[in-house]
């Protein structure tokens, strides 16, 4: 599939915050387009990762392995950024994996280039702040949901945010993301289909 980097960068500018032509040119020179298949691992647990990825098309998840179980803690879709946040910002080994759940088109940008662009262009710095804020708010929303909502409310929340999630993400990953068993999720889904 032929992908136009200019189109991807324009999409970032339209979705998050307007970038000047000059800033877009510089971002184009500092980034790479990746066209990768479903199942590709972008980051492995224990790996140092100084890259962030903008998903132009596709979806990904971040997950931990705990006691042999795989626990999803972040899904990212078209027009989202995803990275190993700890590794990217703190330069420590990644505590989790990032895996593509669909064939995906990504724009890859290194931490060094993000810093350079932020120092050079106030519009890129603004974009970075918006991306970080959006990510923090999503994670905060998830923490609140995990602490205060019933299993059914958690499932309803995720459906209200992403109505197509069950078509794009395996149910086992959705169940682990909202902190319930697959059996509980199946029961909730069965009740809803009977209503």
């Amino acid at each position: 599939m032929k992908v136009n980097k200019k189109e991807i960068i324009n999409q970032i500018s339209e979705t998050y915050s307007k970038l000047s032509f000059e800033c877009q040119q510089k971002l184009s020179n500092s980034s790479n387009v990746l066209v990768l298949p479903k199942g590709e691992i972008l980051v492995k647990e224990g790996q140092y990762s100084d890259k962030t990825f903008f998903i132009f098309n596709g979806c990904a998840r971040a997950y931990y392995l705990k006691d042999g179980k795989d626990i999803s803690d972040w899904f990212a879709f078209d027009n989202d950024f995803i990275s190993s946040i700890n590794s990217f910002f703190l330069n420590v080994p990644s505590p989790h994996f990032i895996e593509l759940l669909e064939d995906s088109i990504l724009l890859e940008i290194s931490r060094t280039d993000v810093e350079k662009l932020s120092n050079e262009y106030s519009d890129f710095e603004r974009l970075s702040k918006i991306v970080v804020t959006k990510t923090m708010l999503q994670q905060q929303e998830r923490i609140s949901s995990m602490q205060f909502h019933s299993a059914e409310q958690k499932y309803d929340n995720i459906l209200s945010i992403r109505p197509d999630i069950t078509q794009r993400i395996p149910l086992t990953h959705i169940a682990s993301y909202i902190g319930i068993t697959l059996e509980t999720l199946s029961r909730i889904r069965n009740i809803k289909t009977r209503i």
Side-chain angles (χ1 to χ4, degrees), residues 59-142:
C59 78
R61 72 170 180 136
Y63 68 95
Y64 294 88
L65 288 178
K66 178 132 177 71
D67 304 326
K69 283 171 68 178
D70 138 350
I71 300 160
S72 299
D73 80 330
W74 184 3
F75 297 128
F77 299 88
D78 318 285
N79 298 329
D80 286 339
F81 281 86
I82 192 166
S83 64
S84 174
I85 294 174
N86 300 52
S87 200
F88 187 81
F89 288 105
L90 303 175
N91 195 28
V92 296
S94 175
H96 57 237
F97 294 81
I98 298 177
E99 171 193 27
L100 295 179
L101 297 179
E102 295 176 346
D103 295 345
S104 300
I105 300 166
L106 312 159
L107 191 73
E108 176 190 64
I109 314 159
S110 73
R111 177 177 53 235
T112 306
D113 286 318
V114 166
E115 286 167 358
K116 276 187 198 159
L117 286 161
S118 293
N119 289 336
E120 208 171 324
Y121 299 99
S122 60
D123 47 349
F124 192 86
E125 185 181 22
R126 185 170 55 249
L127 174 126
S128 296
K129 281 183 182 159
I130 290 168
V131 170
V132 169
T133 303
K134 180 184 177 205
T135 304
M136 281 170 52
L137 292 171
Q138 283 173 337
Q139 296 300 338
Q140 179 58 45
E141 174 65 37
R142 177 167 181 261

Side-chain angles (χ1 to χ4, degrees), residues 3-33 54-57 79 81 105-109 117 121 123-124 127 131:
V3 185
N4 182 336
K5 192 191 277 188
K6 186 171 181 289
E7 189 185 340
I8 298 175
I9 290 170
N10 190 51
Q11 186 68 34
I12 294 171
S13 179
E14 293 292 317
T15 305
Y16 288 92
S17 184
K18 284 274 182 240
L19 297 175
S20 66
F21 176 74
E22 191 184 329
C23 179
Q24 288 194 35
Q25 291 294 108
K26 204 65 167 275
L27 175 56
S28 180
N29 296 338
S30 313
S31 58
N32 298 307
V33 174
F54 173 74
I55 303 174
F56 179 65
N57 192 267
N79 298 329
F81 281 86
I105 300 166
L106 312 159
L107 191 73
E108 176 190 64
I109 314 159
L117 286 161
Y121 299 99
D123 47 349
F124 192 86
L127 174 126
V131 170

